[in-house]
Every structure is written in structure tokens, then in C-alpha cells.
């Protein structure tokens, strides 16, 4: 709150339009002092002109202040007595801005995606997927920070990279940068047609360099010896082996005799039971304990092991 001062004879003429180059709009930005006893630069004009009206609009947008609204703000700051308002009934305020080089946005997005996907042994290519709209930014130091992406998020043929932009340390806006991604790396490829139910071996597969990003993150490691599971559908010769082809063995299968864990305070008791359903690790299944007639709920915690729920 400013101290009340004599404003007798002060004539404040409201502009119809004003351009600001700061995060906040000050009264000095939108008025002209016309009285002889309150010239621009003197203490009275500085006190009046320093009244804060609020946030400046984002570049490309505008904000409108009516004379009535301005008078209310000035009164709230104890500076309304003796001011004669002239000029426009309202002022349109815009933010001074300049067009930003979108090539810098692509450079940041490209660098970030390559940082996530590069292993030192693969080749990552990134290019703009769609033309970016023109971007207006206020004057000031510009910083661009990408939002976090996981490798699974980035390992796709098309990826949206969100960039947060600050100007002078103040958040300005977020921009979506769509990019096309290619990652050339080793992948397993079928040597011959293989049918559903077959367990692929190294004799059935060969290693080729492919664009694994086009597989949308579903490629399996290029190590045929470590491959587990059967084919859940046919695969033709020359096709890349992806996770969609592999039926990974369940940690527990229906009818298996399993170890059943029960927590009792600091103790863990172990018994045996029969799995009444297939289950992967973390999945809930029904189990029939040995020497019991009813089934109970348990969570699969390891191959052949489940833990009773709620105990």
C-alpha cells in the first residue's frame, strides 16, 4: 500500500492501446501524465506510475482494463484523490514479443530422445514429424526443458516430446514437438516359417540390424540363447521376433503344486497347495491348501510360490 499523497491537479490520460515488456503491468504503462505539477519522472508520477495492475498477458494474447477498473485499483492503493481521468474508456494491453526459431525446439527434442535411446552400439535418428506452429515469446533469457520420458515411451516410430519454456525464469508455455524416431540395432529374425507352439532356438533365428523403433518397443533382446517361451502364433521367415509372438511361461500354472506362504507377525510359515489357475508374478489367483477343502486367495510372488492375501 502506497502512502496517500496529494494528487491535486493531476490529469491522467488513459491510452487506448499499450505494449509492455515485463511480466507485470504497471499504471505507467497505460497512462500519460498531463498536469504541469506532475511531470513524467518526478516523485509524484513515479508513485502513481508504479501501481501494479496485474500479470501481463502471454505473447499473442491481450488483456483489457476499463477506466472504472483502473480507478478502483488506484483507490485501493490510496492514490485516487485529485486525479482527473481522461482519454480512452478502456485500454488493450499486449506483451512485446518476438518469433522464436522453432529449430531450437527440434534440437532440444532430438538431443533428449537420443540421450534416452542411445546405447553406444545403436544408431538413433530423429526428425520432425509435423510442422510446428509459429511461436511468440516475450523478451528475456529463454530456457527449454523437456518433460521426462522413459525408454519405453521413446522407443516408438513416432514420439511426442513436451517442452516447457521459461522466459526470464518465469514459466511461459509448453510446446508439443512430434518427432519420427529410428533406432537401428540388432534384432532376432526368423530364418524360416515357424508355427504356433514351437519353442524358437538359435537354429531357427538369425541376428539382423533393423529399425527396432518401428517395432514400437516390442522387440526382444537379440540373444537367442536367453529366449524363453513358445510361439503363440505363426511367424513367417524374415519377420522380426517381437514380444507379441512369445507366450512367456507362467510363474504358476493351473494344477501345479506350489509353496504357499503365510505371514504371522515376524514369522513366515510355509505350506503346500494346489494352484486353481494360471498366474504371473503379481497376479492374484485362487489356491487350495493341502488338507483343506476350500480355496483361498493368494498373490504370485515367484515361480511356484504364492503368498496368502490378508494374512
Amino acid at each position: 500500500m502506497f502512502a496517500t499523497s496529494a494528487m491535486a491537479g493531476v490529469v491522467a490520460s488513459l491510452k487506448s492501446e499499450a505494449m509492455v515488456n515485463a511480466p507485470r503491468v504497471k499504471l505507467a504503462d497505460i497512462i500519460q501524465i498531463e498536469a504541469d505539477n506532475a511531470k513524467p519522472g518526478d516523485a509524484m508520477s513515479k508513485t502513481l506510475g508504479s501501481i501494479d495492475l496485474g500479470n501481463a498477458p502471454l505473447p499473442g494474447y491481450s488483456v483489457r482494463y476499463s477506466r472504472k477498473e483502473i480507478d478502483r485499483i488506484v483507490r485501493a492503493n490510496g492514490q485516487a484523490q485529485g486525479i482527473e481521468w481522461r482519454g480512452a474508456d478502456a485500454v488493450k494491453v499486449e506483451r512485446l514479443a518476438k518469433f522464436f526459431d522453432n529449430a531450437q525446439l527440434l534440437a532440444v527434442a532430438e538431443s533428449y530422445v537420443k540421450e534416452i535411446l542411445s546405447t553406444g552400439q545403436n544408431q538413433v535418428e530423429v526428425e520432425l514429424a509435423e510442422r510446428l506452429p509459429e511461436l511468440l515469446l516475450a523478451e528475456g533469457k529463454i530456457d527449454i526443458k523437456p518433460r521426462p520420458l522413459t525408454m519405453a515411451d521413446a522407443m516408438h516410430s513416432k514420439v511426442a516430446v513436451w517442452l516447457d519454456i521459461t522466459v526470464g525464469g518465469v514459466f511461459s508455455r509448453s510446446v508439443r514437438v512430434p518427432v519420427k524416431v529410428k533406432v537401428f540395432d540388432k534384432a532376432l529374425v526368423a530364418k524360416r516359417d515357424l508355427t504356433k507352439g514351437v519353442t524358437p532356438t538359435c537354429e531357427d533365428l538369425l541376428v539382423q540390424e533393423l529399425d527396432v523403433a518401428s517395432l514400437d518397443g516390442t522387440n526382444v533382446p537379440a540373444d537367442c540363447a536367453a529366449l524363453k517361451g513358445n510361439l503363440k502364433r505363426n511367424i513367417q521367415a524374415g519377420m522380426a521376433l517381437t514380444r507379441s509372438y512369445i507366450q512367456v511361461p507362467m510363474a504358476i500354472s493351473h494344477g501345479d503344486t506350489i509353496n504357499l506362504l503365510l505371514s504371522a507377525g515376524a514369522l513366515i510359515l510355509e505350506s503346500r497347495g494346489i494352484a486353481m489357475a494360471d498366474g504371473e508374478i503379481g497376479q492374484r489367483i485362487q489356491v487350495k491348501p493341502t488338507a483343506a477343502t476350500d480355496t483361498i486367495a493368494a498373490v504370485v510372488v515367484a515361480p511356484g510360490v504364492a503368498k496368502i492375501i490378508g494374512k
Side-chain angles (χ1 to χ4, degrees):
M1 183 78 68
F2 294 98
T4 303
S5 59
M7 289 289 178
V10 174
V11 177
S13 181
L14 184 63
K15 303 175 182 178
S16 59
E17 295 182 349
M19 187 73 71
V20 299
N21 189 25
R24 307 287 294 182
V25 180
K26 303 293 184 179
L27 191 60
D29 296 322
I30 63 172
I31 65 169
Q32 290 180 330
I33 302 296
E34 298 183 355
D36 292 337
N37 63 336
K39 297 178 181 180
D42 65 15
M44 188 180 297
S45 295
K46 288 181 179 179
T47 299
L48 188 62
S50 64
I51 294 176
D52 189 292
L53 300 180
N55 289 322
L58 290 173
Y61 295 86
S62 64
V63 63
R64 181 179 179 276
Y65 292 98
S66 67
R67 188 193 295 182
K68 183 178 180 180
E69 182 181 5
I70 295 168
D71 184 63
R72 178 185 60 78
I73 296 173
V74 172
R75 287 179 182 276
N77 282 269
Q79 299 293 335
Q81 291 184 352
I83 299 178
E84 180 183 346
W85 292 102
R86 294 182 182 175
D89 292 328
V91 58
K92 175 184 176 183
V93 180
E94 295 180 290
R95 184 85 176 267
L96 186 64
K98 61 181 179 182
F99 285 105
F100 185 70
D101 183 5
N102 284 338
Q104 296 183 50
L105 299 178
L106 175 59
V108 173
E110 177 182 0
S111 176
Y112 183 56
V113 171
K114 285 185 175 181
E115 178 185 336
I116 295 172
L117 297 178
S118 295
T119 64
Q121 297 179 339
N122 58 12
Q123 179 183 344
V124 181
E125 298 179 0
V126 181
E127 64 180 54
L128 192 63
E130 303 170 14
R131 182 178 178 180
L132 297 176
E134 291 185 326
L135 180 63
L136 278 171
L137 292 179
E139 297 283 348
K141 183 179 182 298
I142 296 172
D143 290 306
I144 306 170
K145 184 178 180 180
R147 293 183 187 174
L149 282 174
T150 65
M151 179 174 286
D153 293 330
M155 187 63 81
H156 293 276
S157 56
K158 190 173 181 180
V159 179
V161 182
W162 281 93
L163 304 177
D164 293 329
I165 302 174
T166 59
V167 180
V170 178
F171 175 77
S172 176
R173 63 183 60 196
S174 297
V175 178
R176 175 182 173 273
V177 181
V179 294
K180 295 178 182 178
V181 179
K182 292 183 178 180
V183 181
F184 296 97
D185 204 351
K186 294 178 180 178
L188 293 177
V189 175
K191 286 183 181 179
R192 59 183 72 88
D193 292 348
L194 300 173
T195 58
K196 177 181 177 181
V198 169
T199 300
T201 67
C202 291
E203 294 181 356
D204 301 316
L205 304 167
L206 56 86
V207 177
Q208 286 186 353
E209 187 172 271
L210 302 174
D211 173 17
V212 295
S214 66
L215 305 177
D216 285 336
T218 64
N219 59 301
V220 298
D223 183 359
C224 58
L227 191 63
K228 296 180 180 180
N230 301 329
L231 292 178
K232 58 184 177 183
R233 57 193 179 98
N234 297 341
I235 183 171
Q236 296 179 341
M239 297 294 292
L241 185 65
T242 64
R243 290 187 176 89
S244 64
Y245 285 100
I246 300 295
Q247 178 67 58
V248 179
M250 290 287 181
I252 290 176
S253 296
H254 181 235
D256 285 351
T257 299
I258 65 172
N259 292 329
L260 196 57
L261 305 181
L262 170 63
S263 296
L267 298 177
I268 297 180
L269 306 178
E270 185 173 336
S271 61
R272 304 285 280 175
I274 305 297
M276 306 306 293
D278 297 337
E280 298 177 350
I281 293 176
Q283 187 173 355
R284 175 174 174 161
I285 62 171
Q286 290 293 313
V287 177
K288 182 181 179 182
T290 304
T293 56
D294 296 329
T295 62
I296 58 175
V299 172
V300 180
V301 295
V305 183
K307 183 178 180 180
I308 297 174
I309 296 174
K311 299 291 185 179

